[in-house]
Amino acid sequence: MPPPSPSFRARLRRGLALLTAAAMLAGCVTTRDSRIGNDAGDSCRTQLVALDSTGNFFAADMLRGAAVGAVGGALLGGLLAAATGQRGSGIAAGAGIGAVAGGVVGGTAGYLSARQQQATDQASLNLAVANDLAAENAQLDRTQIAFDQLMDCRFNTARQIRAELGAGRMTRPQAEAAMAELRNRTQRDIQLATTINGQIGRRGAEFDTAIETVAPGVKQAAAAPKPSIPARPRATVPLRLRPDASSPEVARVPAQEAVTLRPGRDGFAQVETASGVRGYAPAQAFPEAARLPDAAPVAAQGGDVRSLAASNIARRDNFSDSVGTATRLAEGQGFELAT
């Protein structure tokens, strides 16, 4: 095979330079002020900054995987077409094919492909994926805690506004204006959380591809729908934003009101009212809760690759559920003056 010509080497150098530039662009992230503004008067600013900071982890890695894979594939595909003497449409076709292949590898198969190339055998592959899942789980925990604390701050502020109105320390117009501002801030928070959730999902798709290889069947089992049962509380029970007795109260279910129960965690059941309000209440408040299966544990950081994979999927689902619950409450009665 003849050595590459000087012109081919020059084209290859230019292509690699472009690929390096693409990698740098794909790794760029937006500034904090562009994402969450610079509202010094926001009483929940500390919690908002904490949530935003956790999102950087997911955004940087996921953007680099898909974008660089597609751009790199296009560049190399075009270079190879040019190197073989093709012109015009041939180069365009080569770039297009390369972009498709690169996007696939960089998107959902890039992580698994990289780990497979680094692994010497199946055991080392399993260990590498397990370590990555443990690190991912720790980051998901930090993001969940940050979002929980931010929503706690927002809903507690709403409770304080109601208390101020009830005590006569605020006029109704003042309370309405304060609640409207709080609702707007909360909706912006949820937009940020929704963006992070999408980034988690895209990164999760790469993990799912690996999980199917190293722990077949785990994803399918996790995707099974949660069972639900009709129930009625023994007495009036408060619904919490999350499964924690210290979490803000978002609604109350009167005694014997018909609701739907689903498995929760930490001794709580997920409750949905007839009007669509969702929250968490102690499972023991409902006689029927004994028929609910236990939710999958998600707290463990160690363990084998199968348990880490299952808990990773559960963590992603829990965060998505939390964002959905906050979204419904922000659109409904969560920020009304009278509850």
Side-chain angles (χ1 to χ4, degrees), residues 30-55:
T30 56
T31 64
R32 174 174 294 165
D33 284 355
S34 70
R35 293 188 300 270
I36 64 175
N38 189 20
D39 186 357
D42 184 359
S43 61
C44 301
R45 176 74 180 179
T46 300
Q47 292 87 345
L48 176 58
V49 169
L51 175 63
D52 177 69
S53 298
T54 70

Side-chain angles (χ1 to χ4, degrees), residues 107-112 129 133 136-137 140 200-220 222-223 308-317:
T108 60
Y111 166 74
L112 175 62
V129 173
L133 283 169
E136 189 83 0
N137 288 351
L140 285 167
I200 289 171
R202 287 190 289 274
R203 187 177 175 91
E206 295 195 32
F207 272 112
D208 286 344
T209 302
I211 287 169
E212 280 303 304
T213 298
V214 300
V218 168
K219 179 64 177 175
Q220 183 178 359
L308 285 164
S311 62
N312 176 263
I313 294 168
R315 281 173 166 84
R316 285 186 263 143
D317 289 345

Side-chain angles (χ1 to χ4, degrees), residues 154-178:
R154 296 302 189 200
F155 281 91
N156 282 330
T157 302
R159 179 183 55 79
Q160 292 166 6
I161 293 172
R162 294 187 196 103
E164 293 290 300
L165 175 63
R169 292 186 291 269
M170 266 189 183
T171 66
R172 189 162 191 90
Q174 288 173 331
E176 287 174 348

Side-chain angles (χ1 to χ4, degrees), residues 119-146:
T120 56
D121 52 29
Q122 187 64 39
S124 62
L125 175 63
N126 289 359
L127 179 60
V129 173
N131 288 337
D132 291 342
L133 283 169
E136 189 83 0
N137 288 351
Q139 186 64 40
L140 285 167
D141 285 345
R142 286 191 285 270
T143 301
Q144 182 72 65
I145 290 169

